[in-house]
Coordinates of all heavy atoms in Angstrom, one line a residue:
M24 N -50.4 -42.3 35.3 CA -50.9 -41.9 36.6 C -52.0 -40.9 36.5 O -51.9 -39.9 35.7 CB -49.7 -41.2 37.3 CG -48.5 -42.1 37.7 SD -49.0 -43.3 38.9 CE -48.9 -42.2 40.4
S25 N -53.1 -41.1 37.1 CA -54.3 -40.3 37.0 C -54.3 -39.2 38.0 O -55.1 -38.3 37.9 CB -55.5 -41.1 37.1 OG -55.6 -41.7 38.4
D26 N -53.4 -39.2 39.0 CA -53.4 -38.2 40.0 C -52.4 -37.1 39.8 O -52.1 -36.3 40.6 CB -53.2 -38.8 41.4 CG -51.9 -39.5 41.6 OD1 -51.4 -39.9 40.5 OD2 -51.4 -39.7 42.7
K27 N -51.8 -37.1 38.6 CA -50.9 -36.0 38.2 C -51.5 -35.2 37.1 O -51.9 -35.8 36.1 CB -49.5 -36.6 37.8 CG -48.7 -37.1 39.0 CD -47.8 -36.0 39.5 CE -47.1 -36.4 40.8 NZ -46.0 -37.4 40.5
F28 N -51.6 -33.9 37.3 CA -52.2 -33.1 36.2 C -51.2 -32.0 35.9 O -50.4 -31.5 36.7 CB -53.5 -32.5 36.7 CG -54.5 -33.5 37.2 CD1 -54.7 -33.7 38.5 CD2 -55.2 -34.2 36.2 CE1 -55.6 -34.7 38.9 CE2 -56.1 -35.2 36.6 CZ -56.3 -35.4 38.0
L29 N -51.4 -31.5 34.6 CA -50.6 -30.3 34.2 C -51.6 -29.1 34.0 O -52.7 -29.3 33.7 CB -49.9 -30.6 32.8 CG -48.8 -31.7 32.9 CD1 -48.2 -31.8 31.5 CD2 -47.8 -31.4 33.9
C30 N -51.0 -27.9 34.3 CA -51.8 -26.7 34.2 C -52.4 -26.6 32.8 O -51.8 -26.8 31.8 CB -50.9 -25.5 34.5 SG -51.7 -23.9 34.6
E31 N -53.7 -26.1 32.8 CA -54.4 -26.0 31.6 C -54.2 -24.6 30.9 O -54.6 -24.3 29.8 CB -55.9 -26.1 31.8 CG -56.3 -27.6 32.2 CD -57.8 -27.7 32.4 OE1 -58.6 -26.8 32.0 OE2 -58.2 -28.7 32.9
E32 N -53.5 -23.7 31.7 CA -53.2 -22.4 31.1 C -52.3 -22.5 29.9 O -51.3 -23.2 30.0 CB -52.5 -21.5 32.2 CG -52.4 -20.1 31.8 CD -53.7 -19.3 31.9 OE1 -54.7 -19.8 32.5 OE2 -53.7 -18.1 31.4
P33 N -52.7 -21.9 28.8 CA -51.8 -22.0 27.6 C -50.4 -21.6 27.8 O -50.2 -20.6 28.4 CB -52.5 -21.1 26.5 CG -53.9 -21.0 27.0 CD -53.9 -21.1 28.5
G34 N -49.5 -22.4 27.4 CA -48.0 -22.1 27.6 C -47.5 -22.5 28.9 O -46.3 -22.3 29.2
C35 N -48.3 -23.0 29.8 CA -47.8 -23.4 31.2 C -47.9 -24.9 31.3 O -48.9 -25.5 31.0 CB -48.7 -22.7 32.2 SG -48.2 -23.1 33.9
D36 N -46.8 -25.5 31.7 CA -46.8 -26.9 31.9 C -46.4 -27.3 33.3 O -45.8 -28.3 33.5 CB -45.9 -27.6 30.8 CG -44.5 -27.1 30.9 OD1 -44.2 -26.2 31.8 OD2 -43.6 -27.6 30.2
E37 N -46.7 -26.5 34.3 CA -46.5 -26.8 35.7 C -47.4 -27.9 36.2 O -48.5 -28.0 35.6 CB -46.7 -25.5 36.5 CG -45.7 -24.4 36.2 CD -44.3 -24.8 36.7 OE1 -44.1 -25.4 37.7 OE2 -43.3 -24.5 35.9
Q38 N -47.0 -28.5 37.2 CA -47.9 -29.5 37.8 C -49.1 -28.8 38.5 O -48.9 -27.8 39.1 CB -47.1 -30.3 38.9 CG -47.9 -31.5 39.4 CD -47.0 -32.4 40.3 OE1 -45.9 -32.6 40.0 NE2 -47.6 -32.9 41.3
A39 N -50.2 -29.4 38.3 CA -51.5 -28.7 38.7 C -52.3 -29.5 39.7 O -52.1 -30.7 39.9 CB -52.3 -28.4 37.4
I40 N -53.2 -28.8 40.3 CA -54.2 -29.4 41.2 C -55.5 -29.4 40.5 O -55.8 -28.6 39.6 CB -54.2 -28.8 42.6 CG1 -54.8 -27.4 42.5 CG2 -52.9 -28.8 43.3 CD1 -55.3 -26.8 43.8
E41 N -56.5 -30.2 41.1 CA -57.8 -30.1 40.6 C -58.5 -28.9 41.2 O -58.5 -28.7 42.4 CB -58.6 -31.4 41.0 CG -58.2 -32.6 40.2 CD -59.0 -33.8 40.5 OE1 -58.9 -34.3 41.7 OE2 -59.7 -34.3 39.7
C42 N -59.2 -28.2 40.3 CA -60.0 -27.0 40.8 C -61.5 -27.2 40.5 O -61.8 -27.6 39.4 CB -59.5 -25.7 40.0 SG -57.7 -25.4 40.3
Y43 N -62.3 -26.8 41.4 CA -63.7 -27.1 41.3 C -64.5 -25.8 41.2 O -64.4 -25.0 42.2 CB -64.2 -27.9 42.5 CG -63.5 -29.2 42.7 CD1 -62.4 -29.2 43.6 CD2 -63.8 -30.3 42.0 CE1 -61.7 -30.4 43.7 CE2 -63.1 -31.5 42.2 CZ -62.1 -31.5 43.0 OH -61.4 -32.7 43.2
L44 N -65.1 -25.5 40.1 CA -65.9 -24.3 39.9 C -67.1 -24.3 40.8 O -67.5 -23.2 41.3 CB -66.3 -24.2 38.4 CG -66.9 -22.9 38.0 CD1 -66.0 -21.7 38.3 CD2 -67.3 -22.9 36.6
N45 N -67.7 -25.4 41.0 CA -68.8 -25.5 42.0 C -68.9 -26.9 42.5 O -68.0 -27.7 42.3 CB -70.1 -25.0 41.3 CG -70.4 -25.8 40.0 OD1 -70.1 -27.0 39.9 ND2 -70.8 -25.0 39.0
D46 N -70.0 -27.3 43.1 CA -70.1 -28.7 43.6 C -70.3 -29.7 42.5 O -70.2 -30.9 42.8 CB -71.3 -28.7 44.6 CG -71.0 -27.9 45.9 OD1 -69.8 -27.8 46.1 OD2 -71.9 -27.5 46.5
D47 N -70.5 -29.3 41.3 CA -70.7 -30.2 40.2 C -69.4 -30.8 39.9 O -68.4 -30.2 39.5 CB -71.3 -29.5 39.0 CG -71.6 -30.4 37.8 OD1 -71.2 -31.6 37.9 OD2 -72.1 -29.9 36.8
A48 N -69.2 -32.1 40.1 CA -67.9 -32.8 39.9 C -67.5 -32.8 38.4 O -66.3 -33.0 38.2 CB -68.0 -34.2 40.4
D49 N -68.4 -32.5 37.5 CA -68.0 -32.5 36.1 C -67.2 -31.2 35.8 O -66.5 -31.1 34.8 CB -69.2 -32.5 35.2 CG -69.9 -33.9 35.3 OD1 -69.2 -34.9 35.6 OD2 -71.1 -34.0 35.0
T50 N -67.4 -30.2 36.6 CA -66.8 -28.9 36.3 C -65.4 -28.9 37.0 O -65.3 -28.3 38.1 CB -67.6 -27.7 36.8 OG1 -69.0 -27.9 36.3 CG2 -67.1 -26.4 36.2
V51 N -64.4 -29.5 36.4 CA -63.1 -29.6 37.1 C -62.1 -29.1 36.1 O -62.1 -29.4 34.9 CB -62.8 -31.0 37.4 CG1 -61.3 -31.1 38.0 CG2 -63.8 -31.6 38.4
E52 N -61.3 -28.1 36.6 CA -60.2 -27.6 35.8 C -58.9 -27.9 36.5 O -58.9 -28.3 37.7 CB -60.3 -26.1 35.5 CG -61.5 -25.8 34.7 CD -61.6 -24.3 34.5 OE1 -61.9 -23.5 35.4 OE2 -61.4 -23.9 33.3
H53 N -57.8 -27.8 35.8 CA -56.5 -28.1 36.5 C -55.5 -26.9 36.3 O -55.2 -26.5 35.1 CB -55.9 -29.3 35.9 CG -56.8 -30.5 36.0 ND1 -57.6 -30.9 35.0 CD2 -57.0 -31.4 37.0 CE1 -58.3 -32.0 35.4 NE2 -57.9 -32.3 36.7
F54 N -55.1 -26.3 37.4 CA -54.1 -25.2 37.3 C -53.0 -25.3 38.3 O -53.2 -25.9 39.4 CB -54.9 -23.9 37.6 CG -55.9 -23.5 36.5 CD1 -57.2 -23.5 36.7 CD2 -55.4 -23.1 35.2 CE1 -58.1 -23.1 35.7 CE2 -56.3 -22.8 34.2 CZ -57.6 -22.8 34.5
C55 N -51.9 -24.8 38.0 CA -50.8 -24.7 38.9 C -51.1 -23.6 40.0 O -52.1 -22.8 39.8 CB -49.5 -24.4 38.2 SG -49.4 -22.7 37.5
P56 N -50.3 -23.5 41.1 CA -50.7 -22.5 42.1 C -50.8 -21.1 41.5 O -51.7 -20.3 41.9 CB -49.5 -22.6 43.1 CG -49.1 -24.0 43.0 CD -49.3 -24.4 41.5
I57 N -50.0 -20.6 40.6 CA -50.0 -19.3 40.1 C -51.3 -19.1 39.3 O -52.1 -18.1 39.5 CB -48.8 -19.0 39.2 CG1 -47.5 -19.0 40.0 CG2 -49.0 -17.7 38.4 CD1 -46.3 -19.0 39.1
H58 N -51.7 -20.0 38.5 CA -52.8 -19.8 37.6 C -54.1 -20.2 38.4 O -55.2 -19.8 37.9 CB -52.7 -20.6 36.3 CG -51.6 -20.1 35.4 ND1 -50.5 -20.8 35.1 CD2 -51.5 -18.8 34.9 CE1 -49.7 -20.0 34.3 NE2 -50.3 -18.8 34.2
C59 N -54.0 -20.9 39.4 CA -55.2 -21.1 40.3 C -55.7 -19.7 40.7 O -56.9 -19.4 40.6 CB -54.8 -21.9 41.6 SG -54.9 -23.7 41.4
Y60 N -54.8 -18.9 41.3 CA -55.2 -17.6 41.8 C -55.7 -16.7 40.7 O -56.7 -16.0 40.8 CB -54.1 -17.0 42.5 CG -54.4 -15.7 43.2 CD1 -55.3 -15.7 44.3 CD2 -54.0 -14.5 42.8 CE1 -55.7 -14.5 44.9 CE2 -54.3 -13.3 43.4 CZ -55.2 -13.3 44.4 OH -55.6 -12.2 45.0
K61 N -55.0 -16.7 39.5 CA -55.4 -15.9 38.4 C -56.7 -16.2 37.9 O -57.4 -15.4 37.3 CB -54.3 -16.0 37.3 CG -53.0 -15.2 37.6 CD -52.1 -15.2 36.4 CE -50.9 -14.3 36.7 NZ -49.9 -14.4 35.6
N62 N -57.1 -17.5 38.0 CA -58.4 -17.9 37.5 C -59.5 -17.9 38.7 O -60.6 -18.4 38.4 CB -58.3 -19.3 36.9 CG -57.6 -19.2 35.5 OD1 -58.2 -18.8 34.5 ND2 -56.3 -19.5 35.5
G63 N -59.1 -17.5 39.9 CA -60.1 -17.3 40.9 C -60.2 -18.5 41.9 O -61.1 -18.6 42.7
Y64 N -59.2 -19.5 41.8 CA -59.2 -20.6 42.6 C -58.2 -20.5 43.8 O -57.2 -19.9 43.6 CB -58.9 -21.9 41.8 CG -59.9 -22.3 40.8 CD1 -59.6 -22.1 39.4 CD2 -61.1 -22.8 41.1 CE1 -60.5 -22.4 38.4 CE2 -62.0 -23.2 40.1 CZ -61.7 -23.0 38.8 OH -62.6 -23.3 37.8
C65 N -58.6 -21.1 44.9 CA -57.6 -21.3 46.0 C -56.8 -22.5 45.6 O -57.3 -23.6 45.4 CB -58.3 -21.4 47.3 SG -57.2 -22.0 48.6
Y66 N -55.4 -22.4 45.6 CA -54.6 -23.6 45.3 C -54.5 -24.5 46.6 O -53.9 -25.6 46.5 CB -53.3 -23.2 44.8 CG -52.3 -22.7 45.8 CD1 -51.5 -23.5 46.5 CD2 -52.1 -21.3 46.0 CE1 -50.6 -23.0 47.5 CE2 -51.2 -20.8 46.9 CZ -50.4 -21.7 47.6 OH -49.5 -21.2 48.6
G67 N -55.0 -24.0 47.7 CA -54.9 -24.9 48.9 C -56.0 -26.0 48.9 O -55.7 -27.1 49.2
C68 N -57.2 -25.6 48.4 CA -58.3 -26.5 48.4 C -58.9 -26.7 47.1 O -59.7 -27.6 46.9 CB -59.3 -26.1 49.5 SG -60.0 -24.5 49.1
G69 N -58.6 -25.9 46.1 CA -59.1 -26.0 44.7 C -60.5 -25.5 44.5 O -61.1 -25.7 43.5
N70 N -61.0 -24.8 45.5 CA -62.4 -24.2 45.4 C -62.3 -22.8 44.8 O -61.3 -22.1 44.8 CB -63.1 -24.2 46.7 CG -63.5 -25.5 47.2 OD1 -64.1 -26.3 46.5 ND2 -63.1 -25.9 48.4
F71 N -63.4 -22.4 44.2 CA -63.5 -21.2 43.4 C -64.0 -20.0 44.3 O -65.0 -20.1 45.0 CB -64.5 -21.3 42.3 CG -64.5 -20.2 41.3 CD1 -63.5 -20.0 40.5 CD2 -65.7 -19.4 41.2 CE1 -63.5 -18.9 39.6 CE2 -65.7 -18.3 40.3 CZ -64.6 -18.1 39.5
F72 N -63.2 -19.0 44.4 CA -63.5 -17.9 45.4 C -63.5 -16.5 44.7 O -63.6 -15.5 45.4 CB -62.5 -17.8 46.5 CG -62.7 -19.0 47.5 CD1 -61.9 -20.1 47.4 CD2 -63.7 -19.0 48.4 CE1 -62.0 -21.2 48.2 CE2 -63.8 -20.0 49.3 CZ -63.0 -21.1 49.2
C73 N -63.3 -16.5 43.4 CA -63.3 -15.2 42.7 C -64.6 -14.4 42.9 O -65.7 -15.0 42.9 CB -63.1 -15.4 41.2 SG -62.8 -13.9 40.3
G74 N -64.4 -13.1 43.2 CA -65.6 -12.3 43.5 C -65.8 -12.0 45.0 O -66.5 -11.1 45.4
M75 N -65.1 -12.8 45.8 CA -65.1 -12.6 47.3 C -64.0 -11.6 47.6 O -62.9 -11.8 47.3 CB -64.9 -13.9 48.0 CG -66.1 -14.8 47.9 SD -65.8 -16.3 48.8 CE -65.9 -15.7 50.5
E76 N -64.4 -10.5 48.2 CA -63.5 -9.4 48.5 C -62.2 -9.9 49.3 O -61.1 -9.5 49.0 CB -64.2 -8.3 49.3 CG -63.4 -7.0 49.3 CD -64.2 -5.9 50.0 OE1 -65.4 -5.8 49.7 OE2 -63.6 -5.1 50.7
D77 N -62.5 -10.7 50.2 CA -61.4 -11.2 51.1 C -60.4 -12.1 50.3 O -59.2 -12.2 50.7 CB -62.0 -12.0 52.2 CG -60.9 -12.4 53.2 OD1 -60.2 -11.5 53.7 OD2 -60.7 -13.6 53.5
F78 N -60.8 -12.6 49.2 CA -59.9 -13.5 48.4 C -59.2 -12.6 47.3 O -58.1 -12.8 47.0 CB -60.7 -14.6 47.7 CG -59.8 -15.6 46.9 CD1 -59.1 -16.5 47.6 CD2 -59.8 -15.5 45.6 CE1 -58.3 -17.4 46.8 CE2 -59.1 -16.4 44.8 CZ -58.3 -17.3 45.5
D79 N -60.0 -11.7 46.7 CA -59.5 -10.9 45.6 C -58.5 -9.9 46.0 O -57.6 -9.5 45.3 CB -60.6 -10.3 44.8 CG -61.4 -11.3 44.0 OD1 -60.9 -12.4 43.8 OD2 -62.5 -11.0 43.6
F80 N -58.7 -9.3 47.2 CA -57.9 -8.2 47.7 C -57.2 -8.5 49.0 O -57.6 -9.3 49.7 CB -58.7 -6.9 47.9 CG -59.5 -6.6 46.6 CD1 -60.8 -6.9 46.5 CD2 -58.9 -5.9 45.6 CE1 -61.6 -6.5 45.4 CE2 -59.6 -5.6 44.4 CZ -60.9 -5.9 44.3
N81 N -56.0 -7.9 49.2 CA -55.3 -8.0 50.5 C -55.1 -9.5 50.8 O -55.3 -10.0 51.9 CB -56.1 -7.4 51.6 CG -55.3 -7.2 52.8 OD1 -54.1 -7.2 52.8 ND2 -56.0 -7.2 54.0
N82 N -54.6 -10.2 49.8 CA -54.4 -11.7 49.9 C -53.1 -12.1 49.4 O -53.0 -12.8 48.4 CB -55.6 -12.3 49.2 CG -55.6 -13.8 49.4 OD1 -54.9 -14.3 50.3 ND2 -56.4 -14.5 48.6
P83 N -52.0 -11.8 50.0 CA -50.7 -12.1 49.5 C -50.4 -13.6 49.5 O -49.6 -14.1 48.7 CB -49.7 -11.4 50.4 CG -50.5 -11.1 51.7 CD -51.9 -11.0 51.2
S84 N -51.1 -14.4 50.3 CA -50.9 -15.8 50.3 C -51.6 -16.5 49.2 O -51.3 -17.7 48.9 CB -51.3 -16.4 51.7 OG -52.7 -16.2 51.8
H85 N -52.6 -15.8 48.6 CA -53.3 -16.4 47.5 C -54.1 -17.7 47.9 O -54.4 -18.6 47.1 CB -52.4 -16.8 46.3 CG -51.9 -15.6 45.6 ND1 -51.1 -15.7 44.5 CD2 -52.0 -14.3 45.9 CE1 -50.7 -14.4 44.1 NE2 -51.2 -13.6 45.0
L86 N -54.4 -17.7 49.2 CA -55.2 -18.8 49.8 C -56.6 -18.2 50.2 O -56.8 -17.1 50.5 CB -54.6 -19.4 51.0 CG -53.3 -20.2 50.7 CD1 -52.6 -20.5 52.0 CD2 -53.6 -21.5 50.0
C87 N -57.6 -19.1 50.2 CA -58.9 -18.7 50.6 C -58.9 -18.6 52.2 O -57.9 -18.9 52.8 CB -60.0 -19.8 50.2 SG -59.9 -21.3 51.2
F88 N -60.0 -18.0 52.7 CA -60.0 -17.7 54.1 C -59.8 -19.0 54.9 O -59.1 -19.0 55.9 CB -61.4 -17.1 54.4 CG -61.6 -16.8 55.9 CD1 -60.9 -15.8 56.5 CD2 -62.4 -17.7 56.7 CE1 -61.1 -15.5 57.8 CE2 -62.5 -17.4 58.0 CZ -61.9 -16.3 58.6
N89 N -60.4 -20.1 54.5 CA -60.3 -21.4 55.3 C -58.9 -21.9 55.3 O -58.3 -22.2 56.4 CB -61.2 -22.4 54.7 CG -62.7 -22.2 54.9 OD1 -63.0 -21.5 55.9 ND2 -63.5 -22.6 54.0
C90 N -58.2 -21.9 54.1 CA -56.8 -22.4 54.1 C -55.9 -21.4 54.8 O -55.0 -21.9 55.5 CB -56.4 -22.5 52.7 SG -57.3 -23.8 51.8
R91 N -56.2 -20.1 54.8 CA -55.3 -19.2 55.4 C -55.4 -19.3 57.0 O -54.5 -19.2 57.7 CB -55.7 -17.8 55.0 CG -54.6 -16.8 54.8 CD -54.9 -15.6 54.0 NE -56.1 -15.0 54.3 CZ -57.0 -14.6 53.4 NH1 -56.8 -14.8 52.2 NH2 -58.1 -14.0 53.8
T92 N -56.6 -19.6 57.4 CA -56.8 -19.8 58.9 C -56.0 -21.0 59.3 O -55.4 -20.9 60.4 CB -58.3 -20.1 59.1 OG1 -59.1 -19.0 58.6 CG2 -58.6 -20.2 60.6
E93 N -55.9 -22.1 58.5 CA -55.1 -23.2 58.9 C -53.7 -22.8 59.0 O -53.0 -23.2 60.0 CB -55.3 -24.3 57.9 CG -56.6 -25.1 58.1 CD -56.8 -26.2 57.1 OE1 -55.7 -26.7 56.6 OE2 -57.9 -26.6 56.8
V94 N -53.2 -22.1 58.0 CA -51.8 -21.7 58.1 C -51.5 -20.8 59.3 O -50.5 -21.0 60.0 CB -51.4 -21.0 56.7 CG1 -50.0 -20.4 56.8 CG2 -51.5 -21.9 55.6
N95 N -52.3 -19.8 59.5 CA -52.1 -18.9 60.6 C -52.2 -19.6 61.9 O -51.4 -19.2 62.8 CB -53.2 -17.8 60.5 CG -52.9 -16.8 59.4 OD1 -51.8 -16.8 58.8 ND2 -53.9 -16.0 59.0
S96 N -53.1 -20.5 62.1 CA -53.2 -21.1 63.4 C -51.9 -21.9 63.7 O -51.5 -22.0 64.9 CB -54.4 -22.0 63.5 OG -54.3 -23.1 62.5
D97 N -51.3 -22.5 62.7 CA -50.0 -23.2 62.9 C -49.0 -22.2 63.4 O -48.2 -22.5 64.4 CB -49.5 -23.8 61.6 CG -50.3 -25.1 61.3 OD1 -51.1 -25.5 62.1 OD2 -50.2 -25.6 60.1
I98 N -48.9 -21.0 62.8 CA -47.9 -20.0 63.2 C -48.2 -19.5 64.6 O -47.3 -19.4 65.4 CB -47.9 -18.9 62.2 CG1 -47.5 -19.3 60.8 CG2 -47.0 -17.7 62.7 CD1 -47.7 -18.3 59.7
E99 N -49.5 -19.3 64.9 CA -49.8 -18.8 66.2 C -49.5 -19.8 67.3 O -49.0 -19.4 68.4 CB -51.3 -18.4 66.3 CG -51.6 -17.1 65.6 CD -53.1 -16.9 65.4 OE1 -53.9 -17.6 66.1 OE2 -53.4 -16.0 64.7
D100 N -49.6 -21.1 67.0 CA -49.3 -22.1 68.0 C -47.8 -22.0 68.3 O -47.4 -22.1 69.4 CB -49.6 -23.5 67.4 CG -51.1 -23.7 67.5 OD1 -51.8 -22.9 68.2 OD2 -51.6 -24.7 66.9
E101 N -47.0 -21.8 67.2 CA -45.5 -21.8 67.5 C -45.1 -20.6 68.3 O -44.4 -20.6 69.2 CB -44.8 -21.7 66.1 CG -44.6 -23.1 65.5 CD -43.9 -23.0 64.2 OE1 -43.2 -22.0 63.9 OE2 -44.2 -23.9 63.3
E102 N -45.7 -19.4 68.0 CA -45.4 -18.2 68.7 C -45.9 -18.3 70.2 O -45.2 -17.9 71.1 CB -46.1 -17.0 68.1 CG -45.4 -16.6 66.8 CD -46.2 -15.4 66.1 OE1 -47.3 -15.1 66.6 OE2 -45.7 -14.9 65.1
L103 N -47.0 -19.0 70.4 CA -47.5 -19.1 71.7 C -46.6 -20.0 72.6 O -46.3 -19.6 73.7 CB -48.9 -19.7 71.6 CG -49.8 -19.6 72.9 CD1 -50.1 -18.2 73.2 CD2 -51.1 -20.4 72.7
S104 N -46.1 -21.1 72.0 CA -45.2 -21.9 72.8 C -43.9 -21.2 73.1 O -43.3 -21.4 74.1 CB -45.0 -23.2 72.0 OG -44.4 -23.0 70.8
T105 N -43.4 -20.4 72.1 CA -42.2 -19.6 72.4 C -42.4 -18.7 73.6 O -41.6 -18.5 74.5 CB -41.8 -18.8 71.2 OG1 -41.7 -19.7 70.1 CG2 -40.4 -18.2 71.4
E106 N -43.6 -18.0 73.5 CA -43.8 -17.0 74.6 C -43.9 -17.7 75.9 O -43.5 -17.2 77.0 CB -45.2 -16.3 74.3 CG -45.0 -15.1 73.3 CD -46.3 -14.5 73.0 OE1 -47.3 -14.6 73.8 OE2 -46.4 -13.9 71.9
M107 N -44.5 -18.9 75.9 CA -44.7 -19.6 77.2 C -43.4 -20.0 77.8 O -43.1 -20.0 79.0 CB -45.6 -20.8 77.0 CG -47.1 -20.4 76.8 SD -48.2 -21.7 76.5 CE -48.3 -22.6 78.0
S108 N -42.4 -20.4 76.9 CA -41.1 -20.9 77.4 C -40.4 -19.7 78.0 O -39.6 -19.8 79.0 CB -40.3 -21.6 76.3 OG -40.2 -20.8 75.2
E109 N -40.5 -18.5 77.3 CA -39.9 -17.3 77.9 C -40.4 -16.9 79.2 O -39.8 -16.5 80.1 CB -40.0 -16.1 76.9 CG -39.1 -16.3 75.7 CD -39.4 -15.2 74.6 OE1 -40.3 -14.4 74.9 OE2 -38.8 -15.2 73.5
W110 N -41.7 -17.1 79.3 CA -42.4 -16.8 80.5 C -41.9 -17.7 81.7 O -41.7 -17.3 82.8 CB -43.9 -17.0 80.3 CG -44.8 -16.6 81.5 CD1 -45.5 -17.5 82.3 CD2 -45.1 -15.3 82.0 NE1 -46.1 -16.8 83.2 CE2 -45.9 -15.5 83.1 CE3 -44.7 -14.0 81.6 CZ2 -46.4 -14.4 83.8 CZ3 -45.2 -13.0 82.4 CH2 -46.0 -13.1 83.4
D111 N -41.7 -18.9 81.3 CA -41.2 -19.9 82.3 C -39.8 -19.4 82.8 O -39.5 -19.5 84.0 CB -41.0 -21.3 81.7 CG -42.4 -21.9 81.5 OD1 -43.4 -21.4 82.2 OD2 -42.5 -22.9 80.8
L112 N -39.0 -18.9 81.9 CA -37.6 -18.5 82.3 C -37.7 -17.3 83.3 O -36.9 -17.2 84.3 CB -36.8 -18.1 81.1 CG -36.4 -19.2 80.2 CD1 -35.7 -18.6 78.9 CD2 -35.4 -20.1 80.9
E113 N -38.6 -16.4 83.0 CA -38.7 -15.2 83.9 C -39.2 -15.6 85.3 O -38.8 -15.0 86.3 CB -39.7 -14.2 83.3 CG -39.1 -13.4 82.2 CD -40.1 -12.5 81.5 OE1 -41.1 -12.1 82.2 OE2 -40.0 -12.2 80.4
L114 N -40.0 -16.7 85.4 CA -40.4 -17.1 86.7 C -39.2 -17.8 87.4 O -39.0 -17.8 88.5 CB -41.6 -18.1 86.6 CG -42.9 -17.5 86.2 CD1 -43.9 -18.6 85.9 CD2 -43.4 -16.6 87.3
Ligands
ZN212 ZN1 -50.0 -22.6 35.2
ZN213 ZN1 -58.6 -22.9 50.1

């Protein structure tokens, strides 16, 4: 199977995703979610974000801004629908 990769970090044999250092398709590494972040990659999209303040700091989800926005918008949609149903009850 060519679509299953193992983490390239020494001593780690977790299942990995493809990580892209830049747009050059030859520059591909493979890391598990933990080592994605340690090496500066977002494990949501596999892009390299090391050096960006928003990614390196205050980032408990270990996702890049784009992937985090997708996750947050899902949560906000759920909260919004809950609020709206409560509002309906008060009316
Ligand atoms: Zn790993
Ligand atoms: Zn991402």
